Amino acid sequence: MNPPRETTDLTTDRVARSAGAAAIEQIRDAIQQRQRFLLTSHARPDGDSIGSQLAMAFALDALGKQVRIVNADPAPEHYLEFPGVNRIAIATRVEPDVDAVIVMECSDLSRTGVAGLEREFLINIDHHAGNRMYGAVNWFDESAAACGEMVFDVIKALHVPLTLEIATHIYLAILTDTGSFHHSNITPRTFEICRQAVQAGVNPTAMARGVFDSNSFGKLKLIGALLDSMELVDHGRLAVLYMDDQMLDACGCTHNDTEGLINLPLTAREIQAVVFFKVAPGAEVRVSMRSKYDVDVRVVANKFGGGGHKNAAGFTVQGRLDDVKPRIIEQMTRAIADGLETRPTA
Ligand code: 5GP
Ligand code: MN
């Protein structure tokens, strides 16, 4: 397995690394000097974007700041019961009228899908490779397992106590962005933060059930349909999944029901990577990829103008599925071959 990339001081609350310390201080100062904040994250939010934003929101509340949260898309349904999710306004354009905008989980401002932020004082907190450093203050740490880990460090620097609400959202961010502690980038610091979250009252069983065992019957049907139409290529090392609106309708599902489904094929020992094609009615295909160990799907995403992480990446491509698929499969096959060369033994 990957060794941790930095030394983590497990004996105190100080889990921030020295490389990020200056950026954390800058963010702390920028927050302390301002009063009105708008928080945002990427379109089609996931657990890390929801968790990072709401942990930050509750921390800013504790400091007596004014907080608005604006996202381009609503949270997936199984997150609606988490504290504060109803505070997230949905809009694709805003007139901020705030002192600062904190953008979490976005390598580029356009990832927010929210227009009107360009001229604001931007605080950029992110862990996606290729972050464009678009903020007035930037903290980019690719080694963080979740953006929520970074938000945790900022909250500590602000001396805000880890309330149950904050701890819940930090844990949610980490639980989901590590794919339930499966992906790379999990370090002692990941568990140290989770330890503190649990100590603050988070119930890991309830969190896991709430996030992963809250499927509708429709989603179970969709799992069946997806796996039924799954193709195996590259000697069974690559799983290919397809989905379109017709399949969703037949199962009584929406796009919000699709989170996490991409991980299912990885439970088969032989399968090293998954590519999931979501075909939209226009001439556009949304592509999500997941992989094991050193199979680097971000490299594939980068070739098609997307991004993400080594084990989870995505992009959107113009064209018909039949036209774009062979090129994508070819790149995935190459990534698998490259990744298997350095495959760890246990
Ligand atoms: P998902 O497959 O869940 O949509 O995305 C997996 C990961 O890849 C996420 O970390 C996400 O931020 C990143 N990602 C997905 N689509 C894109 C994209 O179009 N552009 C960039 N830069 N990153 C993406
Ligand atoms: Mn993330």
Side-chain angles (χ1 to χ4, degrees):
M1 302 297 289
N2 296 337
R5 291 185 195 166
E6 69 281 324
T7 309
T8 307
D9 181 358
L10 296 178
T11 58
T12 71
D13 271 357
R14 261 200 71 255
V15 291
R17 281 74 33 81
S18 54
I24 296 169
E25 280 173 23
Q26 272 188 328
I27 294 173
R28 179 200 62 200
D29 294 348
I31 289 174
Q32 282 174 340
Q33 290 157 10
R34 290 170 176 78
Q35 182 57 29
R36 299 168 308 156
F37 293 85
L38 189 148
L39 311 186
T40 191
S41 184
H42 57 78
R44 289 179 286 111
D46 59 14
D48 193 18
S49 45
I50 301 291
S52 294
Q53 291 178 100
L54 284 167
M56 184 67 86
F58 285 116
L60 296 180
D61 288 348
L63 294 169
K65 310 286 184 186
Q66 280 179 39
V67 185
R68 276 168 70 195
I69 316 174
V70 179
N71 288 184
D73 299 300
E77 204 168 328
H78 56 283
Y79 294 134
L80 296 183
E81 291 186 3
F82 282 88
V85 176
N86 57 358
R87 297 173 63 169
I88 303 175
I90 309 303
T92 51
R93 168 167 290 282
V94 284
E95 282 175 28
D97 193 25
V98 292
D99 305 319
V101 176
I102 307 181
V103 187
M104 285 156 279
E105 270 273 279
C106 295
S107 51
D108 193 308
L109 190 59
S110 66
R111 298 270 300 140
T112 61
V114 179
L117 303 173
E118 300 75 11
R119 303 160 82 92
E120 300 300 312
F121 183 92
L122 299 176
I123 300 175
N124 161 20
I125 304 174
D126 182 39
H127 70 139
H128 290 92
N131 186 286
R132 299 279 175 86
M133 304 300 244
Y134 50 84
V137 182
N138 298 282
W139 182 24
F140 163 54
D141 181 357
E142 208 186 329
S143 75
C147 187
E149 284 191 359
M150 305 172 73
V151 170
F152 173 91
D153 286 345
V154 171
I155 290 171
K156 286 279 163 171
L158 287 164
H159 296 294
V160 173
L162 199 61
T163 60
L164 179 57
E165 283 163 332
I166 294 173
T168 295
H169 281 291
I170 296 289
Y171 192 93
L172 173 67
I174 293 174
L175 179 67
T176 55
D177 235 37
T178 59
S180 188
F181 303 101
H182 278 59
H183 297 166
S184 53
N185 273 3
I186 299 167
T187 63
R189 133 192 168 86
T190 311
F191 289 103
E192 170 56 18
I193 296 170
C194 290
R195 184 194 71 74
Q196 293 191 32
V198 173
Q199 196 152 49
V202 168
N203 177 338
T205 311
M207 291 292 290
R209 294 269 178 226
V211 172
F212 301 110
D213 299 344
S214 296
N215 291 336
S216 60
F217 288 123
K219 185 160 174 178
L220 283 188
K221 235 172 120 177
L222 184 61
I223 289 171
L226 272 179
L227 294 183
D228 205 38
S229 59
M230 179 174 82
E231 284 173 13
L232 290 174
V233 296
D234 190 23
H235 313 286
R237 298 188 297 200
L238 174 62
V240 186
L241 297 176
Y242 304 92
M243 196 184 69
D244 57 18
D245 287 349
Q246 218 178 343
M247 192 188 233
L248 284 176
D249 289 348
C251 300
C253 289
T254 67
H255 279 276
N256 267 347
D257 294 308
T258 62
E259 195 186 309
L261 297 182
I262 188 172
N263 294 310
L264 290 169
L266 290 182
T267 60
R269 184 192 300 272
E270 294 79 4
I271 294 177
Q272 305 301 320
V274 187
V275 58
F276 189 173
F277 293 110
K278 297 175 193 170
V279 183
E284 195 176 271
V285 182
R286 164 93 205 133
V287 184
S288 284
M289 297 163 292
R290 297 291 185 273
S291 63
K292 286 176 180 166
Y293 297 104
D294 281 340
V295 175
D296 192 344
V297 290
R298 181 181 58 209
V299 169
V300 180
N302 287 341
K303 292 211 160 87
F304 294 93
H309 312 280
K310 183 168 74 177
N311 295 138
F315 60 93
T316 300
V317 63
Q318 304 300 322
R320 289 180 47 246
L321 177 64
D322 289 345
D323 297 330
V324 299
K325 184 178 143 185
R327 282 188 290 138
I328 298 169
I329 302 266
E330 188 195 329
Q331 294 297 334
M332 287 295 283
T333 305
R334 202 170 287 182
I336 290 170
D338 289 347
L340 285 179
E341 272 178 24
T342 51
R343 177 74 178 261
T345 47

